[in-house]
Every structure is written in structure tokens, then in C-alpha cells.
Amino acid sequence: MGTREKSNLYPNATWEDCFEFAKTIAGFNLKSVSYTEVAKKYGLTSTTTKSFTAKISSSKQFGFITTSSGAIQLTELAKNMIYPTGDITLMKVESFAMPPLYQKLISAYDGKALPPRDIFENILMGSYKIAKAVKANAAKCFFESADQLDLVKGGIFCYSEVKNGLTNDNPSDEPVSEKEAPIVSESTENSDAIQQQLETPLPVPESAADYISQNIPVASGKVAKIIIPVDSTEDDLLLIKDMFDVLLKRKFKIKIDN
């Protein structure tokens, strides 16, 4: 009989599933609850059901519960999130970083474009010792958990930005007024098209594989992000260039040589 491949520890349930699991435990209003009683809440007769053990393991990794002698207890973190007295956004984001695997992935991809899911699965297997049999689920849980906490912006994994509250469209102290918005010069080619593009809200990219992303650090320590669809035509790229020139001229007062 073949030997089952061992895997490094990974969350095999999503962040949201684990938080809901913690809230279920809180509903007992007890200091600790037996595995059997919690399983009954999910209509299960066995505490070894894969979906149940996945929630326990993953909830421990996210810092929501501890276990001892067949019983489950909520952590102070979970209690503070379930019964909040203020904004819990930071606690949510920090709990995402508690699993050892996610700590490593944050270090590797924070501020960068995430690979396509199928490539990410192989990276988990090769670089992080996640077993081949579970790599797809490990990748799925990571991507879905990141989405649940809105950590992916335009295909970029923005953990630190979200944690530090730096993901507003206009991070400056004062909002940009309509008068300060970029105005298209009458001498700019395709000015009507450029103006329309500038005034149209940008859709959120669905897959990092569909976009070319480039992060450019600037002197303030922030990061400029350029995200362009891989299937852009030559006309698309010329229009993007014209729009960028307009932004530099009007918003940043940079002289562009023609």
C-alpha cells in the first residue's frame, strides 16, 4: 500500500467559514464546548468528518479558537471580533496573517500581482511543501480568503495597504475637487475619447493573468501601479499613452515634449 504524501500545514477552510465557525461556538455561551456538541450544530454525527476537522484546524490557524481534551474555546481575538466595541477591520486583516503559510505568502507577494491560480498551486507544492493532492484546495482557500477581506485590488495583493488603511482612491488628506480633476487639452488628439475614459469608473480585473502589472516605488514610500490588459490593441495602448500624458500635464504640471 502506498504511503500518503505529507503536507505542510495550510488553512483548508476559508477565513469567512472559520469566522462563522467561531460565531457558532460563541452561540453556546459557554467557556468551552465539546467537539460533539459543535458537530451536532452542523448536523454531523461524527467529529472526524473532513469538513468539520477542516474548520477546527483552520480556525486554530487564524487565531479564532484553541482546543484541549476534545473541547473548543474561543480566543480573545475571536471574542473581540464577535462582540466588537469599535472598528474590527485591523483585527480581521491581522487574523488573515496568522497561519504560518499565509505569513510566508504575504512576505512573498505583498504589493505584487498574484500568479494565476493554476500556477499558484504549483508554487505552493514546490516552494511551500503543500502536498500535490491538496494544493488546489490550499490555493482556493487562500484566494477566496483574500477576496473575502478585500485584499486583492486590480489583481495586486495589497495586504499592507489594507492593513494600514492606504487603499483609498485618493489617499491625500483633502479630496480632489472637480476643478482639480484632469482636463483634456484641446490640442490633444482623441481628446473626446480621453475625456470619456477619464470620467468612466474603472472595472476591477477578474484575473491577474489577464493583466500586465507593474509596481513602481516612489520617493514617498508609496507605490505607483500600472495595470494594462494583456489583449490591448495598438490603438488601446496609444490611447492609454495619451491619457497618461494628460494626467502628467494637468494633474502633476509636468511638461511633456512633443
Side-chain angles (χ1 to χ4, degrees):
M1 185 172 66
T3 302
R4 184 175 180 179
E5 183 184 7
K6 292 184 178 181
S7 177
N8 277 347
L9 187 66
Y10 71 98
N12 54 344
T14 67
W15 182 94
E16 196 169 87
D17 284 344
C18 293
F19 189 46
E20 290 300 319
F21 185 70
K23 288 194 284 188
T24 297
I25 296 167
F28 286 92
N29 294 316
L30 297 171
K31 183 176 181 180
S32 65
V33 188
S34 70
Y35 282 25
T36 301
E37 291 302 311
V38 179
K40 287 179 182 178
K41 279 286 187 178
Y42 287 90
L44 302 173
T45 57
S46 172
T47 59
T48 59
T49 302
K50 188 175 181 180
S51 62
F52 186 71
T53 58
K55 286 184 173 67
I56 291 177
S57 173
S58 302
S59 296
K60 289 172 70 174
Q61 292 178 65
F62 284 121
F64 295 148
I65 65 170
T66 59
T67 59
S68 177
S69 302
I72 305 171
Q73 303 86 34
L74 290 176
T75 63
E76 288 303 311
L77 171 66
K79 293 175 184 177
N80 290 335
M81 292 172 63
I82 295 169
Y83 308 109
T85 57
D87 187 359
I88 65 171
T89 300
L90 181 59
M91 286 188 286
K92 288 182 176 181
V93 174
E94 289 181 337
S95 69
F96 175 87
M98 289 187 176
L101 174 63
Y102 287 12
Q103 292 175 18
K104 296 174 183 177
L105 293 172
I106 289 169
S107 295
Y109 291 103
D110 190 18
K112 300 177 183 177
L114 289 172
R117 178 106 38 115
D118 56 343
I119 300 298
F120 191 75
E121 293 174 11
N122 294 333
I123 292 172
L124 291 179
M125 182 176 66
S127 299
Y128 300 94
K129 308 304 179 185
I130 302 301
K132 180 179 179 181
V134 299
K135 64 174 184 172
N137 187 49
K140 173 179 177 291
C141 289
F142 177 81
F143 273 78
E144 290 186 2
S145 296
D147 285 339
Q148 288 164 1
L149 294 173
D150 203 23
L151 298 177
V152 181
K153 310 283 186 180
I156 304 296
F157 183 50
C158 301
Y159 177 82
S160 292
E161 289 191 14
V162 174
K163 180 180 177 181
N164 296 321
L166 299 176
T167 56
N168 293 331
D169 291 336
N170 174 42
S172 61
D173 292 334
E174 297 182 0
V176 176
S177 67
E178 292 183 3
K179 292 182 179 180
E180 294 175 322
I183 301 174
V184 179
S185 169
E186 294 180 359
S187 62
T188 303
E189 295 182 4
N190 301 321
S191 59
D192 290 341
I194 294 173
Q195 184 67 35
Q196 182 178 3
Q197 290 290 329
L198 289 172
E199 294 174 353
T200 302
L202 295 176
V204 177
E206 296 182 355
S207 170
D210 296 329
Y211 295 81
I212 295 173
S213 302
Q214 180 65 52
N215 289 355
I216 306 172
V218 297
S220 67
K222 296 178 182 178
V223 178
K225 299 180 186 208
I226 300 174
I227 304 174
I228 301 175
V230 296
D231 57 357
S232 297
T233 65
E234 182 177 351
D235 285 343
D236 292 332
L237 295 174
L238 290 174
L239 179 57
I240 292 170
K241 178 182 178 299
D242 286 343
M243 291 176 65
F244 190 67
D245 286 348
V246 169
L247 289 171
L248 291 179
K249 288 178 181 177
R250 296 293 180 173
K251 180 65 177 176
F252 298 99
K253 312 301 181 185
I254 301 297
K255 182 178 180 180
I256 304 295
D257 294 328
N258 294 325

